[in-house]
Amino acid sequence: MLLTAFCLLQFALQVLWLGKLQLPRILRSDAQSQAAVTRALQQVHRHVERFLDRVESFGLVRFVYQGAPAEQPCIVVANHPCLLDFIVILKDLPNAVCLYKSGTLDNPVLSSFVRVAGYIEGMDGTASANKRIIASCSEHLQQGRHVVFFPEGTRSRTATRMHKFRAAAFQSAVRSATAIQPVAIYCDPLILGKGQSWTVVARQDNVMTIRYLPAVTLDELPADRQTAAALGELVAERIDAAPVSYTHLRAHETGVEISYAVFCL
C-alpha cells in the first residue's frame, strides 16, 4: 500500500511541476510555436514513461500491449475502465492530446496541466461545445497529433460494462475525414475504477491489457449508412469483438455482461 501511495503522490507532484513550471517555460521559450508545443508534449511523454515503468517495476500493475498504434494522426477511441487509461495510451503516442471533463479545471493538481498542454475541454451539453470540440480536434489533427477520446465521458460501470458513447469523436472523424483507431482496454481485476479505492491496487495481482485495433474509416460502411452514428456503432462493435484473452477477466464479468452501446446526439 505504501508503494501505491508513493507512486500516486509522485505522479501528482510531477503533474503539478509540469503544469506550473516546466511546460510554461518550454512554451514561453519559443512564443508558443508548434515546435515548442511538440517539445512540451514530448516532455509529458517522458514523465509518463517513467511513471508507468516505476509502477510496473514495483509489481503494482503489469501492462500488456497488443497491436500497434497508428503512425498517422488519427482519432483514437477507447473504453475507459480506470484512471490509468489515457497515460497507458500516451506511452505509445507521445504527441497525443485528449479531451478532459470541464470539472477538471477545478482540480488543483490537473487544472494548470490540461490548460498548458493544450488538451481539449469536453462536453457541457451544449451545441456550441460540440462545435468547439470538433474544431479543436480538426486543428490538432492538422498539426500532426493524435486525439484521444473516451466517449463514455466517465469511467466504465465495471471492467467490462461501458456507458453509452457520446457522439463528438465520431462527428469529428466524419467532419475531418479522419480514421478512427479503436483501443480495447481491460483490467484484470478492475483497478482505480469508478468509486473504487486506490488501496485495492496493492491487495491484488493486476494486469492491464491495451489492445490497438485496425483503424476504422467511414468508407467501410454502406453508402446509405455513412454517418457519425453508424461509425460509432462500428467502432463499438470492433472493441466488443476484440480478441483480447478473456482469461484475463474474471469469470462473472464475461459473457452477456460485455455490452457496448453508442449514443449519438
Side-chain angles (χ1 to χ4, degrees):
M1 190 177 299
L2 289 176
L3 288 177
T4 305
F6 170 77
C7 286
L8 294 176
L9 177 60
Q10 185 182 55
F11 182 74
L13 292 175
Q14 285 179 329
V15 170
L16 279 171
W17 179 72
L18 285 168
K20 298 288 188 182
L21 298 173
Q22 184 68 358
L23 299 189
R25 183 186 65 79
I26 293 172
L27 294 174
R28 284 196 302 268
S29 69
D30 201 5
Q32 296 196 25
S33 70
Q34 289 308 308
V37 173
T38 298
R39 289 200 304 276
L41 292 175
Q42 289 173 343
Q43 181 74 9
V44 172
H45 177 253
R46 284 193 288 272
H47 282 272
V48 164
E49 283 192 311
R50 294 189 194 116
F51 171 73
L52 294 177
D53 288 345
R54 186 170 295 110
V55 167
E56 193 158 28
S57 67
F58 286 168
L60 298 174
V61 185
R62 180 163 64 91
F63 300 105
V64 179
Y65 286 85
Q66 300 175 344
E71 294 184 4
Q72 296 300 315
C74 69
I75 293 173
V76 177
V77 169
N79 58 317
H80 192 15
C82 88
L83 281 175
L84 298 178
D85 295 334
F86 174 62
I87 60 174
V88 297
I89 292 176
L90 188 58
K91 182 176 182 180
D92 281 336
L93 301 174
N95 67 343
V97 298
C98 77
L99 269 71
Y100 63 88
K101 288 183 179 181
S102 298
T104 303
L105 297 177
D106 298 322
N107 185 307
V109 175
L110 296 173
S111 57
S112 296
F113 173 78
V114 295
R115 285 194 187 99
V116 176
Y119 290 179
I120 304 170
E121 185 176 353
M123 287 293 295
D124 61 9
T126 65
S128 60
N130 199 49
K131 291 179 180 178
R132 171 181 52 76
I133 291 170
I134 292 172
S136 296
C137 179
S138 177
E139 181 180 357
H140 281 292
L141 291 167
Q142 290 173 5
Q143 292 167 349
R145 303 187 188 105
H146 293 74
V147 181
V148 181
F149 282 81
F150 297 99
E152 294 175 86
T154 188
R155 278 169 284 171
S156 305
R157 292 187 178 94
T158 71
T160 56
R161 296 186 63 193
M162 291 176 63
H163 296 283
K164 293 179 180 179
F165 278 2
R166 298 180 181 181
F170 313 108
Q171 291 173 345
S172 297
V174 171
R175 298 284 180 86
S176 60
T178 301
I180 290 180
Q181 181 166 38
V183 181
I185 301 175
Y186 297 93
C187 297
D188 177 27
L190 182 63
I191 53 171
L192 302 177
K194 190 75 170 179
Q196 190 178 31
S197 172
W198 61 270
T199 59
V200 302
V201 175
R203 299 200 299 263
Q204 56 195 21
D205 294 328
N206 307 296
V207 179
M208 191 169 182
T209 302
I210 305 95
R211 182 169 181 82
Y212 294 95
L213 305 174
V216 175
T217 64
L218 202 62
D219 293 340
E220 296 182 40
L221 295 165
D224 61 346
R225 295 192 68 243
Q226 293 187 358
T227 65
L231 183 61
E233 292 172 359
L234 179 60
V235 170
E237 290 170 2
R238 295 288 172 86
I239 293 175
D240 191 11
V244 175
S245 173
Y246 282 95
T247 59
H248 285 172
L249 298 174
R250 291 168 289 182
H252 70 276
E253 289 187 341
T254 58
V256 296
E257 290 196 8
I258 301 173
S259 59
Y260 295 94
V262 175
F263 172 68
C264 289
L265 299 175

